[in-house]
């Protein structure tokens, strides 16, 4: 019999932990000489939309029904729910494909209009397989590979997927080594002025030349690194390398051109990218005007507050910010309203028919004119023909790049390219002869460029005072003390002394593998083990990781603190890094979030590392709580379901003996309102009735917009007469909403249940309130009814 912690509470199936334990036992006991079992991983496509359309209660019922169907169709071994809409079955080989088709038909028949699709990945257990978790991962990978393929509902894990998985693992585990050993190289593609064809800048592009896999294309390794949240390692390297290359150009007496650098959407959430870029610029001592930042339009879909703040910081700091892939998304023009960019960059693939489609020409000509009017330059990439270049001249695009002007090239090849551009004209210029007017206009362009450079030099002089202040701040003990105290307060420590007491500070001579200073919280020990000066740094790290880091994070922690890796990183220019992990403070307590940061310096020929580790568990909890409490419905301003339900559960727990009421309400015939007056009118109705609900119940209750026209209200310490009066105010009236010239009338129905007289748990109360609401609607609508057993 399964223990409670081994059961999925919604479906009653075994959970992930139980499945892995029991399936591993079956795997160990099977005959090793033959194939007996298969792992089938199920994923429900569009389930998130199903929840949004029909509500979470309906979604829960769907999952419960699906669990029953899977059990019925795959009864022979084990069926489990791993998470959300993901189920796994350990099955025999008998008619697997036919049974998957049968399950898909049942899923469709449950709600044919819901747009639900079933996908399944199958992995046949090999005789030499020993780890059930790896087998499940392979089935999941097979399932994920057909998520966007509507021709198939299942796929077997095969050698092709295996090769893809092996390459992904290789990339993830070797990105650091590739950076340190120079396998990652920076290539530069020229950017030219459209009117003259002269080079005015470059775009930095990463290339991976691997000793094992050869030349890896960016389209292969960049998505993998983004999914693994490791792309910041690549982008930080490119930033440093570009700055160093520009410095080298300047030291040779050459005039450098600006370089644009792509930053991934995940960079902004994992690192302070402004600091990464600014530190690299300062170390190389190059003007900020030589570095431009490219951000893809798709990155704007993420946390916009974080991104907007970073973009503003870059622009205030003296860097240009470009929007890459403009026009690829659905909200490009809105982004121009909400963000400030210096350049819009679009791909010529959007202009494939520029020679034959006048509407396409007119659209982009107006986009370019609009950008010019609001002070934004335009750049077209992917230019490959003389005809495309001519088109860009006609519509007024300012800059361009593509193979027609120059392919991506190494730093050394750039020097040859620039020499050729200077002496003979660019490759693009050789495609046609410029007339005198164009040459004259080219001279004007050059003169304008000189004026801009003079202006940039003046701005650099204006910033000199600011940089002097920053240097003074960094060297001031008072500033550092105040900054440390402010930082400690942010992390919610009671005092600076408490922070010192509970933080770890370790100084180690990596060259000699020797501890120089050891402060392990208030004592020089961790879990009853003490450490002292002159002892081995590596031995201490091995013991600390083994004893105080959770098992799942052992390998990554050991790699982070590894002496040889740190020395190699220092020689590659990486002197700072940080790492967050779960630390075991007491074996009787839950692990706590801990943050470690280090700096590496060279002192008297030895490599010295300074480590600071501190507890951020309270900060993490507070941050999560603030985020949850901030989640309100954007249309109505009421609590959304994710925020309201935990609040209601908490109130029910704290007031188990007090009377309270859970009310479900919805707008009668709301679909008719939407169909007759339109969705904007429907939104206005929702806003107005939400304000009324907040007026009636909000002063002492929790009012939540669940979905579409459904609302949930919770009131504590309620008196029946007062409750009935308020429900009467809601349900006995006919509401009128004016929208343009229309007068929309509607009523509201409600069902409610009393706690604890009629129910106790949240799910029980929700179900009964929903039952009462259905009864009110069946009785004639515009009514409020209490649950009746």
């Amino acid at each position: 019999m399964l223990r409670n912690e081994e059961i999925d509470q919604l479906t009653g199936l075994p959970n992930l932990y139980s499945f892995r334990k029991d399936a591993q036992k079956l795997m160990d006991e099977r005959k090793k000489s033959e194939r007996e079992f298969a792992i089938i991983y199920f994923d429900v496509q569009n389930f998130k939309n199903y929840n949004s359309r029909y509500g979470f209660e309906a979604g829960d019922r769907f999952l419960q029904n699906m669990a029953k169907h899977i059990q019925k169709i795959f009864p022979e071994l084990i069926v489990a729910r791993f998470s959300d809409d993901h189920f796994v079955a350990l099955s025999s080989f008998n008619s697997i494909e036919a049974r998957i088709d049968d399950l898909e038909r049942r899923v469709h028949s449950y709600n044919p209009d819901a747009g639900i699709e079933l996908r399944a990945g199958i992995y046949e257990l090999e005789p030499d397989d020993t780890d059930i978790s790896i087998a499940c991962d392979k089935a999941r990978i097979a399932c994920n590979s057909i998520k966007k393929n509507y021709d198939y509902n299942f796929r077997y894990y095969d050698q092709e997927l295996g090769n893809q998985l092996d390459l992904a693992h290789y990339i993830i585990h070797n990105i650091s080594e590739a950076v340190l050993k120079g396998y990652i190289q920076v290539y530069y593609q020229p950017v030219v002025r459209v009117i003259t064809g002269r080079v005015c800048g470059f775009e930095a592009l990463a290339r991976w030349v691997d000793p094992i896999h050869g030349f890896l294309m960016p389209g292969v390794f960049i998505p993998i690194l983004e999914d693994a949240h490791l792309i910041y390692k690549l982008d930080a390297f490119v930033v440093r390398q570009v700055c160093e290359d520009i410095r080298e150009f300047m030291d040779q007496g050459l005039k450098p051109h600006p370089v644009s650098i792509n930053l991934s959407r995940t960079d902004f959430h994992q690192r302070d990218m402004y600091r990464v870029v600014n530190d690299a610029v300062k170390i190389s001592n190059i003007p900020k005007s030589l570095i431009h930042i490219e951000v893809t339009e798709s990155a704007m879909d993420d946390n916009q507050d974080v991104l907007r703040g970073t973009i503003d910081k870059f622009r205030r700091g003296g860097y240009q910010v470009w929007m890459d892939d403009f026009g690829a998304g659905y909200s490009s023009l809105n982004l121009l309203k909400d963000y400030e960019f210096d350049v819009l960059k679009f791909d010529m693939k959007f202009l494939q028919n520029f020679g034959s489609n006048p509407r396409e020409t007119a659209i982009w000509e107006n986009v370019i004119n609009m950008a010019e009017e609001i002070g934004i330059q335009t750049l077209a990439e992917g230019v490959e023909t003389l005809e495309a270049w001519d088109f860009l001249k006609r519509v007024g695009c300012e800059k361009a790049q593509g193979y027609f002007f120059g392919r991506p090239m190494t730093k050394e090849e750039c020097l040859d390219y620039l020499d050729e551009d200077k002496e003979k004209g660019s490759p693009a210029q050789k495609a046609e002869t410029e007339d005198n007017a164009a040459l004259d206009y080219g001279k004007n362009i050059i003169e304008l460029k000189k004026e801009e450079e003079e202006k940039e030099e003046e701005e650099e002089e204006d910033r000199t005072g600011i940089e002097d202040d920053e240097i003074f701040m960094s060297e001031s003990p008072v500033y550092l003390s105040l900054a440390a105290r402010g930082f400690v307060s942010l992390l919610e420590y009671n005092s600076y002394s408490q922070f010192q007491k509970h933080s770890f500070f370790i100084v180690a001579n990596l060259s000699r593998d020797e501890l120089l200073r050891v402060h392990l919280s208030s004592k020089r020990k961790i879990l009853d083990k003490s450490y002292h000066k002159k002892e081995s740094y590596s031995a201490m790290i091995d013991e600390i990781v083994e004893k105080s880091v959770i098992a799942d994070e052992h390998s990554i922690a050991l790699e982070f603190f590894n002496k040889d890796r740190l020395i190699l990183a220092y020689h590659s220019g990486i002197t700072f890094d940080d790492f967050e992990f779960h630390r075991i403070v007491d074996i009787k307590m839950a692990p706590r979030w801990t943050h470690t940061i280090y700096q590496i310096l060279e002192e008297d020929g030895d490599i010295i590392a300074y480590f600071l580790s501190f507890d951020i568990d309270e900060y993490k909890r507070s941050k999560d709580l603030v985020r949850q409490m901030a989640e309100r419905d954007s249309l109505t301003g009421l609590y959304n379901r994710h925020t309201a339900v935990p609040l209601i559960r908490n109130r029910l727990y704290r007031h188990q003996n007090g009377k309270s009421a859970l009310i479900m309400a919805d707008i009668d015939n709301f679909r008719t309102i939407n169909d007759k007056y339109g969705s904007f009118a429907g939104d206005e109705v929702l806003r107005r009735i939400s304000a009324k609900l907040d007026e009636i119940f909000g002063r002492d209750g929790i009012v939540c917009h669940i979905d579409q026209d459904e609302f949930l209200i919770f009131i504590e310490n309620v008196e029946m007469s007062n409750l009935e009066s308020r429900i009467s105010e809601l349900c006995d009236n006919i509401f009128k909403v004016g929208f343009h010239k229309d007068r929309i009338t509607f009523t509201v129905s409600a069902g409610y249940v009393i706690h604890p007289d009629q129910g106790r748990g949240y799910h029980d109360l929700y179900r009964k309130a929903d039952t009462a609401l259905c009864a009110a609607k069946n009785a004639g609508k515009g009514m409020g009814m209490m649950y009746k057993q």
Side-chain angles (χ1 to χ4, degrees):
M1 182 176 293
L2 295 176
R3 299 193 301 272
N4 191 52
E5 62 269 20
E6 298 177 342
I7 299 174
D8 174 62
Q9 298 301 313
L10 177 64
T11 64
L13 294 177
N15 59 19
L16 170 65
Y17 167 79
S18 176
F19 179 89
R20 285 182 172 172
K21 182 188 69 172
D22 294 339
Q24 185 68 55
K25 184 177 179 182
L26 286 172
M27 175 185 276
D28 295 341
E29 294 174 351
R30 70 196 164 105
K31 297 177 181 178
K32 300 292 184 179
S33 59
E34 60 184 46
R35 295 178 178 179
E36 296 184 61
F37 309 131
I39 299 286
I40 311 171
Y41 187 97
F42 297 101
D43 181 22
V44 180
Q45 304 289 290
N46 301 321
F47 184 68
K48 185 179 292 185
N49 293 335
Y50 186 95
N51 268 335
S52 299
R53 183 176 180 183
Y54 299 105
F56 286 87
E57 294 297 320
D60 289 348
R61 289 193 295 271
F62 175 90
L63 294 176
Q64 290 166 345
N65 282 324
M66 183 169 175
K68 293 176 183 177
H69 289 317
I70 298 176
Q71 278 185 306
K72 187 174 182 179
I73 295 172
F74 296 92
E76 58 266 39
L77 292 173
I78 307 172
V79 173
R81 182 187 179 214
F82 271 25
S83 65
D84 300 327
D85 54 320
H86 306 303
F87 295 81
V88 175
L90 179 64
S91 169
S92 64
F93 290 134
N94 182 33
S95 304
I96 285 181
E97 297 175 12
R99 288 194 282 173
I100 291 174
D101 290 338
D102 183 20
L103 178 61
E104 184 180 36
R105 284 193 295 271
R106 298 188 187 207
V107 169
H108 275 294
S109 66
Y110 183 72
N111 191 336
D113 299 327
I116 289 293
E117 300 287 342
L118 182 70
R119 295 290 180 268
I122 308 168
Y123 175 69
E124 301 179 21
L125 291 177
E126 300 286 348
D128 57 351
D129 284 331
T130 58
D131 191 328
I132 196 67
S133 296
I134 295 176
C136 290
D137 284 342
K138 291 179 177 178
R140 176 180 55 80
I141 289 166
C143 181
N144 290 343
S145 71
I146 57 170
K147 272 192 172 184
K148 296 181 181 180
N149 189 328
Y150 294 93
D151 296 329
Y152 306 97
N153 60 353
F154 64 84
R155 179 175 178 176
Y156 286 87
Y157 181 87
D158 53 23
Q159 187 60 46
E160 179 186 352
L161 286 176
N163 293 339
Q164 294 176 11
L165 179 62
D166 291 342
L167 180 59
H169 284 169
Y170 179 85
I171 289 170
I172 290 170
H173 291 99
N174 288 273
I175 176 62
S176 297
E177 182 181 10
V179 168
L180 297 176
K181 293 187 176 180
Y183 303 153
I184 304 290
Q185 299 176 11
V186 177
Y187 278 51
Y188 296 91
Q189 185 171 30
V191 176
V192 306
R193 292 197 181 278
V194 168
I195 196 66
T196 64
R198 288 285 185 181
V199 176
C200 62
F202 291 88
E203 179 183 7
L205 302 166
R207 298 291 186 264
W208 188 330
V209 184
D210 192 79
I212 297 175
H213 294 278
F215 192 89
L216 297 175
M217 294 300 293
V220 173
F221 62 83
I222 287 179
I224 292 170
L225 293 175
E226 285 184 325
D227 290 342
H229 300 288
L230 295 173
I231 191 68
Y232 71 89
K233 294 188 176 183
L234 174 69
D235 291 345
F237 165 74
V238 171
V239 168
R240 292 191 301 271
Q241 190 62 54
V242 167
C243 292
E244 291 172 7
D245 288 349
I246 292 176
R247 180 71 262 168
E248 185 178 336
F249 273 46
M250 295 173 67
D251 290 343
Q252 294 176 19
L254 301 172
K255 183 179 179 180
H257 289 278
V259 178
S260 63
I261 301 172
N262 294 278
L263 297 184
S264 168
R265 60 196 300 172
T266 62
D267 288 337
F268 296 94
H269 303 283
Q270 293 183 275
R271 290 293 185 275
D272 181 352
M273 292 311 298
Y274 176 81
R275 179 178 176 183
V276 170
V277 173
N278 209 47
D279 285 351
V281 167
K282 286 185 176 180
I283 291 171
S284 295
N285 191 25
I286 64 174
K288 296 178 180 179
S289 58
L290 294 178
I291 297 296
H292 304 328
I293 303 301
E294 290 194 30
V295 183
T296 60
E297 182 183 333
S298 62
M300 313 298 171
D301 295 336
D302 289 343
N303 189 322
Q304 294 195 8
D305 291 337
V306 172
L307 190 60
R308 184 182 289 108
T310 307
I311 288 176
D312 290 344
K313 197 172 182 180
F314 271 117
R315 297 189 82 251
R316 289 196 308 269
Y319 300 95
Q320 283 194 19
V321 179
W322 299 5
M323 183 200 283
D324 195 9
D325 293 337
F326 177 75
Y330 297 101
S331 56
S332 302
L333 296 180
N334 280 332
L335 295 174
L336 295 184
K337 173 174 63 71
D338 297 334
Y339 294 84
E340 291 189 30
F341 296 99
D342 298 283
V343 174
L344 297 184
K345 190 172 182 180
F346 58 91
D347 199 306
M348 284 298 293
K349 68 183 179 183
F350 296 118
L351 297 169
Q352 292 176 350
N353 302 314
F354 63 83
S356 59
N357 189 335
R359 294 183 63 187
E360 192 171 273
T361 301
I363 289 171
W364 282 100
E365 187 171 2
N366 280 281
V367 168
I368 290 168
N369 289 337
M370 174 201 66
E372 183 178 354
E373 287 184 10
I374 60 178
I376 302 178
Q377 296 181 334
T378 49
L379 188 158
E381 61 180 337
V383 180
E384 298 182 354
T385 64
L386 176 62
E387 290 75 18
W389 184 24
D390 285 339
F391 169 78
L392 295 175
K393 288 180 180 179
R394 291 199 306 272
V395 298
C397 185
E398 296 172 72
K399 299 178 181 179
Q401 72 180 91
Y403 276 72
F404 181 70
F405 302 105
R407 60 175 176 79
M409 56 194 79
T410 64
K411 175 181 60 178
E412 292 73 22
E413 290 172 329
C414 281
L415 292 173
D416 297 335
Y417 177 88
L418 290 171
D419 287 340
E420 181 182 355
D421 181 62
K422 184 185 298 183
E423 296 173 7
K424 301 179 182 179
S426 68
Q429 282 179 297
K430 288 184 287 184
E432 66 172 27
T433 303
E434 295 181 325
D435 57 21
N436 291 332
L439 285 172
D440 290 340
Y441 191 57
K443 292 178 182 177
N444 292 334
I445 292 288
I446 292 172
E447 291 170 4
L448 178 60
K449 185 174 181 181
K450 289 180 179 178
E451 290 174 6
E452 289 177 346
E453 288 173 352
E454 290 173 1
K455 184 177 179 181
E456 288 169 357
E457 290 174 1
E458 291 174 1
E459 291 175 350
E460 285 294 324
E461 291 176 2
D462 292 339
R463 287 196 290 267
T464 301
I466 298 174
E467 292 175 354
D468 289 342
D469 291 340
E470 291 175 350
I471 293 172
F472 169 76
M473 290 164 63
S474 66
E475 296 176 349
S476 168
V478 176
Y479 169 79
L480 294 176
S481 175
L482 291 173
R485 293 177 187 276
F487 170 73
V488 165
S489 176
L490 178 67
L491 291 179
E492 301 195 6
Y493 283 88
N494 294 329
S495 65
Y496 184 56
S497 60
Q498 186 193 34
F499 172 79
Q500 289 180 309
K501 181 178 179 181
H502 292 283
S503 62
F504 297 179
F505 185 60
I506 299 169
V507 184
N509 186 322
L510 300 180
S511 302
R512 303 174 186 273
D513 190 25
E514 183 178 271
L515 294 173
L516 302 180
R517 283 188 175 276
V518 186
H519 172 80
L520 304 179
S521 70
S522 58
K523 300 178 181 178
R524 289 179 179 169
K525 59 172 59 179
I526 291 181
L527 297 179
D528 297 326
K529 170 68 176 180
S530 60
Y531 300 94
H532 304 279
K533 296 180 182 179
K534 304 296 184 182
E535 291 183 359
S536 167
Y537 161 79
S538 298
M540 183 196 73
I541 289 299
D542 290 344
E543 290 182 350
I544 287 180
V545 169
E546 177 67 28
K547 292 182 177 181
S548 65
V549 178
I550 64 172
D552 289 346
E553 297 173 356
H554 274 183
S555 60
I556 190 171
L558 288 171
E559 180 185 2
F560 177 81
F561 289 105
N562 181 268
K563 170 178 66 69
D564 296 330
R565 186 197 73 83
L566 292 170
I567 293 174
L568 189 60
Y570 174 78
H571 288 303
S572 301
I574 303 173
T575 58
F576 293 91
D577 204 354
D578 58 2
F579 171 52
E580 291 181 359
F581 59 94
H582 290 86
R583 183 169 65 89
I584 302 171
V585 179
D586 189 311
I587 57 175
K588 299 179 181 179
M589 297 169 55
R592 296 180 65 84
W593 275 105
T594 301
H595 187 98
T596 293
I597 187 169
Y598 71 71
Q599 179 177 1
I600 301 177
L601 303 173
E602 188 167 354
E603 300 176 5
D604 299 327
D606 288 343
I607 307 300
I608 310 298
Y610 296 79
F611 299 90
L612 177 63
S613 294
F614 44 90
D615 190 297
I616 57 170
D617 202 69
E618 294 300 326
Y619 171 73
K620 285 273 191 180
R621 292 174 186 272
S622 296
K623 191 175 180 181
D624 290 343
L625 181 61
V626 169
R627 185 181 67 251
Q628 292 168 8
M629 295 299 292
E631 290 180 349
R632 283 184 175 266
D633 177 57
S634 59
L635 176 64
T636 65
L638 300 177
Y639 284 122
N640 63 25
R641 184 190 187 101
H642 294 292
T643 304
V645 171
L647 289 174
I648 295 172
R649 290 180 185 275
N650 187 47
R651 301 277 180 94
L652 288 170
Y653 176 78
R654 289 192 292 109
H655 298 281
Q656 294 187 21
N657 297 321
K659 280 198 174 184
S660 55
L662 188 69
I663 307 165
M664 283 196 69
D666 77 1
I667 300 170
D668 296 322
N669 302 317
F670 182 70
R671 180 174 296 180
T672 302
I673 293 173
N674 263 338
D675 293 342
K676 183 176 180 180
Y677 299 102
S679 59
F680 289 112
D683 288 349
E684 184 63 21
V685 167
L686 289 173
R687 279 190 286 266
R688 297 285 187 89
I689 198 61
S690 295
K692 188 64 178 177
L693 287 169
D694 194 47
E695 176 188 325
I696 298 173
F697 301 105
R699 64 181 180 272
D700 58 351
I702 297 170
V703 184
C704 163
H705 182 206
I706 302 176
D707 187 36
Q708 297 186 16
D709 63 325
E710 296 181 351
F711 299 87
L712 187 67
I713 303 109
F714 178 77
I715 308 175
E716 289 182 281
N717 301 321
V718 64
E719 295 182 1
M720 289 303 299
S721 59
N722 178 266
L723 175 64
E724 291 168 357
S725 173
R726 289 202 242 180
I727 291 179
S728 176
E729 182 180 356
L730 176 66
C731 298
D732 291 351
N733 291 309
I734 297 176
F735 297 99
K736 294 182 180 180
V737 171
F739 186 76
H740 299 315
K741 296 181 180 179
D742 295 318
R743 300 284 291 176
I744 305 170
T745 59
F746 61 92
T747 57
V748 175
S749 296
Y752 61 98
V753 60
I754 305 301
H755 169 273
D757 297 350
Q758 297 178 311
R760 286 192 172 272
Y762 168 76
H763 283 293
D764 182 40
L765 293 171
Y766 186 98
R767 179 180 58 80
K768 291 175 178 177
D770 189 29
T771 301
L773 174 61
C774 291
K777 284 186 166 291
N778 292 333
K781 302 182 180 179
M783 299 182 64
M785 296 189 67
M786 185 169 69
Y787 172 74
K788 294 181 180 178
Q789 299 184 6

